[in-house]
Amino acid sequence: MKFVTLLMALVLAGCISTARQLETQSEHRTTVKSDENYQAVYRRVLTQAKECLDLGGTFAASNKVDGQLYSDLGKAEISYYLDNVVDMYFAVVKIDRTGDGATVNISTGSQPAWANEKLLNQLKGWAEGSRNC
């Protein structure tokens, strides 16, 4: 039993458990500028993330995609995480109104570097207009 407890502690120690922590600690991030309205970019990225990433789960853990649109502030935020005893964040997308367009800041983490880069490129593609999983 001690081995299982130690193993769980080691696994969870490397995980990012808040969106803010992911934003500040991630080495995997990019910024996208768009001529589209920030609300349109938000809707597309959220829709694609829900279709492609929100794959459900088991009784103990599930993948979640949540989004918040703050129209009064000209901002939006999308989080992709594993909902478990301790949440583990994989991506945070922040979308800001800039004039008639949008600035999209994407951060990924809690995974091996190759998986973070793959997810980063997928989210970037959606921010740029792709609709592919």
Side-chain angles (χ1 to χ4, degrees), residues 84-115:
N84 199 346
V85 174
V86 174
D87 292 342
M88 182 174 22
Y89 278 76
F90 300 124
V92 174
V93 180
K94 295 239 176 161
I95 305 163
D96 294 300
R97 178 179 52 215
T98 40
D100 291 337
T103 301
V104 183
N105 293 298
I106 306 166
S107 302
T108 61
S110 292
Q111 305 177 96
W114 65 268

Side-chain angles (χ1 to χ4, degrees), residues 5 33 35 41 49 54 60-61 74 78 94 104 108 112 128:
T5 304
K33 302 282 186 182
D35 293 334
V41 175
D54 192 348
I78 300 167
K94 295 239 176 161
V104 183
T108 61
E128 293 173 336

Side-chain angles (χ1 to χ4, degrees), residues 16-76:
I16 297 172
S17 59
T18 67
R20 179 74 179 136
Q21 197 178 14
L22 179 62
E23 284 181 277
T24 59
Q25 294 179 6
S26 177
E27 297 174 12
H28 305 277
R29 55 177 109 204
T30 192
T31 300
V32 175
K33 302 282 186 182
S34 176
D35 293 334
E36 281 185 277
N37 177 284
Y38 78 101
Q39 293 170 326
V41 175
Y42 166 76
R43 276 190 300 275
R44 182 178 52 251
V45 174
L46 181 63
T47 299
Q48 290 307 120
K50 284 187 178 262
E51 285 181 18
C52 302
L53 302 174
D54 192 348
L55 305 174
T58 66
F59 68 93
S62 60
N63 287 323
K64 300 277 184 164
V65 175
D66 288 329
Q68 295 292 322
L69 179 63
Y70 305 103
S71 298
D72 53 329
L73 300 174
K75 298 177 180 253

